[in-house]
């Protein structure tokens, strides 16, 4: 396995001959990087999914109301919102590698803190801290993977992070089901420290990305990494494409926030923010966080409801794997719009199912429709949005712009998590899921009008095309009467 295992050489890869690397070695190197970096995605998934199983026992232990459930659930999401902003800035200044090391350290501390929290205020504070790591990882991991991947596999490699997120959620559901019989909810929360240690240690052995090296004037280091991921005859051309952005990066160091005021960049940022909102208002995290509560409302017992959520986690993993295999062939836009249409139909049927009398058959029907909804969501919208956010922003503001979009994503996620239990009590599950279906229809219209297609393009070529497209829109508006 051609991967440097000496920490002292990881940040500056050793000089290699300029011969074309063996495809198998290049593939192994890329997969090794993806496997370690994407542990951040698995932690993201575990820490967001595990609360669904712990919450019913925390409700009894702390005497929580519906609003209290929302506060504990959403505390992590507020932390994640601010963590996404911090992660974007750290990724641009410290580097993608060091920023992921920071996230790993906070993951470890946060997981231990939530496991031992003695009171609700301490639990809320601990989940906020854990959220800082979740939010940072949600920005830095796809950014790292998108910049280190060759263009022809970038979609699949960045989508691998999405696969790790849902795999982490599945792991959380399985752990919840196993530990539920002993009501060991603190162990459910604390076990996240183990993969956090793996992320922290593993990142010591990996390089940073070629694009970050070049942004800091470290062209030799960028070339070393590229020679391990591309044939030698393609390295110089790739270095040239990336190097064209060095002047823009210098401008960014003088004030990245000012760069966001540039009309064409501001337009792309607004589209990215819109995609982030779309991913959240369509209801996915209401299902992830509160699946046992939803199933309990159909008459299912607590342990049975927690166990049943394994089906949601399993279909999420399978659907994400399918989405990964299709997204570089079908393209981003068709995946988004097809998925939103399927989600809307699933949510309408799910809302109708709650109008039926409670019974075991209705519980099974509700679970089946939730599984169908998650299949559409994870195969298309979740995979596509995270990939687009990692691809569509120009290099000079990529970390900051992605951090801003993901900040908005987490704030909308926070609002959904906080209000969903209250909304269930106020209007019932049926109306709530119909509202999510309406959001899917509106999101379909947004994606049809604004979502870019980025399939198969180098990031620098994509930046050029997006700039031309934005300039054409601006010129059209200026010339219109």
């Amino acid at each position: 396995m051609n991967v440097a295992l000496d920490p002292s050489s990881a940040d500056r890869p050793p000089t290699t001959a300029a011969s074309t690397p063996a495809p198998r070695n290049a593939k192994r190197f890329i997969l090794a990087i993806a496997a370690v970096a994407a542990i951040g995605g698995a932690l993201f998934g575990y820490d967001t999914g595990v609360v669904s199983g712990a919450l019913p026992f925390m409700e009894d232990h702390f005497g929580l109301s519906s609003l209290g459930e929302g506060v504990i659930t959403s505390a992590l999401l507020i932390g994640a919102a601010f963590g996404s902003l911090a992660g974007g800035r750290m990724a641009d200044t410290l580097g993608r590698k060091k920023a992921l090391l920071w996230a790993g350290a906070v993951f470890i501390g946060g997981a231990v803190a939530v496991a031992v929290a003695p009171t609700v205020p301490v639990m809320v504070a601990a989940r906020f801290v854990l959220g800082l790591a979740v939010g940072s990882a949600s920005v830095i991991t796809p950014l790292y993977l998108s910049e280190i991947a060759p263009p022809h596999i970038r979609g699949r490699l960045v989508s691998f992070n999405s696969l790790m997120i849902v795999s982490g959620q599945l792991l959380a559901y399985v752990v919840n089901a196993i530990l539920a019989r002993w009501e060991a909810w603190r162990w459910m929360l604390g076990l996240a420290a183990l993969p956090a240690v793996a992320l922290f240690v593993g990142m010591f052995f990996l390089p940073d990305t070629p694009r970050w090296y070049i942004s800091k004037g470290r062209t030799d280091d960028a070339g070393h990494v590229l020679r391990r991921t591309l044939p030698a005859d393609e390295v110089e051309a790739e270095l040239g494409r990336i190097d064209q952005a060095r002047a823009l990066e210098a401008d960014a160091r003088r004030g990245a926030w000012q760069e966001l005021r540039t009309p064409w960049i501001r337009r792309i940022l607004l589209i990215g923010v819109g995609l982030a909102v779309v991913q959240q208002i369509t209801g996915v995290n209401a299902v992830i966080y509160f699946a046992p509560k939803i199933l309990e409302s159909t008459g299912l017992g607590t342990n049975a409801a927690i166990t049943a959520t394994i089906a949601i986690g399993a279909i999420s993993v399978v659907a994400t794997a399918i989405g990964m295999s299709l997204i570089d062939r079908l393209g981003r836009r068709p995946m988004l719009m097809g998925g939103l249409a399927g989600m809307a139909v699933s949510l309408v049927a799910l809302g109708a199912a709650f109008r039926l009398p409670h019974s075991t058959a209705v519980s099974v029907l509700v679970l089946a429709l939730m599984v169908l909804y998650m299949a559409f969501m994870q195969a298309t919208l979740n995979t596509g949005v995270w990939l687009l956010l990692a691809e569509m922003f120009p290099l000079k503001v990529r970390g900051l712009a992605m951090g801003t979009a993901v900040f908005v994503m987490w704030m909308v996620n926070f609002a959904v998590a906080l209000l969903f239990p209250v909304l269930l009590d106020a209007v019932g599950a049926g109306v709530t899921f119909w509202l999510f279906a309406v959001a899917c229809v509106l999101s379909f219209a947004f994606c049809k009008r604004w979502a870019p297609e980025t399939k198969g393009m180098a990031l620098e070529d994509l930046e050029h095309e997006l700039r031309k497209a934005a300039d054409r829109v601006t010129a059209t508006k200026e010339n219109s009467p």
Side-chain angles (χ1 to χ4, degrees):
M1 187 169 179
N2 191 22
V3 180
L5 295 179
D6 178 8
S8 65
S9 65
D11 192 51
R12 182 182 177 89
T15 303
T16 57
S19 59
T20 301
R24 180 176 298 178
N25 288 342
K27 183 177 181 180
R28 286 176 177 175
F29 177 66
I30 294 167
L31 290 178
I33 288 175
V36 174
I39 294 174
L43 284 163
F44 172 176
Y46 187 92
D47 286 316
T48 53
V50 72
V51 72
S52 67
L55 203 57
F57 304 113
M58 292 167 63
E59 182 180 1
D60 293 336
H61 182 84
F62 293 122
L64 299 175
S65 63
S66 293
L67 182 59
E69 294 177 36
V71 169
I72 285 182
T73 302
S74 60
L76 181 142
L77 308 176
I78 282 288
F82 289 99
S84 66
L85 286 181
R89 293 296 284 177
M90 283 191 298
D92 282 343
T93 55
L94 301 178
R96 286 45 165 155
K97 171 183 174 175
K98 290 180 180 178
L100 276 174
L101 281 169
W102 178 89
V106 178
F107 266 125
I108 296 169
V112 173
V114 296
V116 301
T119 63
V120 170
V122 175
M123 175 64 72
V124 170
R127 281 183 58 79
F128 175 85
V129 171
L130 186 59
L132 293 175
V134 171
S136 296
S138 72
V139 173
I140 303 164
T141 301
L143 188 64
Y144 181 90
L145 293 173
S146 73
E147 291 187 352
I148 210 161
H152 68 284
I153 62 166
R154 189 177 63 241
R156 279 172 287 169
L157 195 60
V158 177
S159 297
F160 179 65
N161 182 56
S162 297
L163 180 63
M164 292 298 288
I165 291 172
V166 295
S167 297
Q169 289 167 351
L170 174 58
L171 177 62
Y173 296 150
V174 172
V175 169
N176 288 347
I178 293 171
L179 297 180
R181 68 185 67 181
W182 297 290
E183 300 186 9
W185 58 272
R186 293 189 184 275
W187 282 97
M188 296 177 188
L189 300 171
L191 285 174
L194 298 180
V197 171
L199 173 66
F200 184 79
V201 173
M203 285 306 302
F204 275 106
F205 300 98
L206 299 185
D208 218 308
T209 70
R211 287 170 177 80
W212 188 80
Y213 283 135
I214 284 184
S215 75
K216 301 303 179 184
R218 298 169 60 178
T219 307
D220 288 344
D221 289 343
H224 293 323
V225 177
L226 287 173
R227 276 189 286 273
R228 303 197 70 182
T229 60
L230 293 174
D233 57 0
E234 297 179 16
V235 170
E236 290 304 318
E238 183 69 9
L239 282 171
R241 278 197 294 268
I242 299 172
D243 199 38
Q244 290 176 1
R246 290 184 68 182
L248 299 178
E249 186 68 17
D251 290 341
R253 285 196 293 270
R254 290 194 291 268
W257 283 106
Q258 285 72 19
E259 293 294 333
L260 295 181
R261 299 177 184 175
T262 305
W264 77 275
I265 295 178
R266 183 172 64 242
R267 177 177 179 271
I268 293 173
L269 176 61
L270 290 175
I271 293 172
V273 168
L275 289 170
V277 172
V278 162
Q279 193 207 46
Q280 294 301 314
I281 63 172
T282 48
V284 59
N285 285 312
V287 175
I288 290 172
Y289 303 148
F290 300 105
K293 183 179 179 70
I294 294 168
L295 291 170
E296 282 184 288
S297 71
T298 66
L300 210 58
T302 298
N303 285 359
I306 291 173
T307 301
T309 59
I310 294 175
I312 294 173
I315 195 62
S316 294
V317 172
V318 173
T320 302
I322 293 172
M324 287 173 58
S325 69
L326 294 177
I327 199 160
D328 277 330
R329 286 184 285 172
L330 299 182
R332 285 52 161 164
R333 281 171 53 85
M335 295 278 283
L336 292 180
M337 291 185 289
L340 284 164
M343 290 161 60
V345 173
S346 303
L347 287 167
V348 169
L350 183 57
F354 281 97
R355 298 294 180 177
L356 301 173
H358 291 177
S359 67
T360 301
V362 170
S363 297
V364 172
L365 176 62
V366 167
L367 177 62
L369 290 170
M370 289 168 64
V371 167
L372 180 63
Y373 162 81
M374 290 297 291
F376 281 115
M377 171 68 194
Q378 301 291 11
T380 60
L381 190 65
N382 192 50
T383 301
V385 168
W386 280 114
L387 179 56
L388 281 171
L389 293 182
E391 291 178 324
M392 64 187 289
F393 298 120
L395 172 62
K396 59 181 177 178
V397 294
R398 186 169 294 146
L400 176 59
M402 186 175 179
T404 302
V406 177
F407 172 81
V408 173
M409 179 186 292
W410 283 113
M411 291 301 293
V412 178
N413 191 343
F414 160 76
V416 172
L418 181 65
L419 297 178
F420 183 76
V422 179
L423 198 59
L424 279 180
D425 289 345
V427 300
V431 173
T432 300
F433 284 111
W434 284 339
L435 290 174
F436 285 136
V438 172
C440 285
V441 174
L442 297 176
S443 298
F444 181 93
F446 174 85
C447 290
K448 184 176 181 181
R449 175 66 180 86
W450 296 108
E453 182 54 75
T454 60
K455 181 181 72 171
M457 299 181 68
L459 293 180
E460 287 66 41
D461 295 337
L462 173 61
E463 178 177 333
H464 179 66
E465 291 300 318
L466 289 173
R467 181 170 189 163
K468 288 198 304 183
D471 288 343
R472 285 196 299 268
V473 171
T474 301
T476 301
K477 289 181 178 179
E478 291 176 350
N479 294 332
S480 62

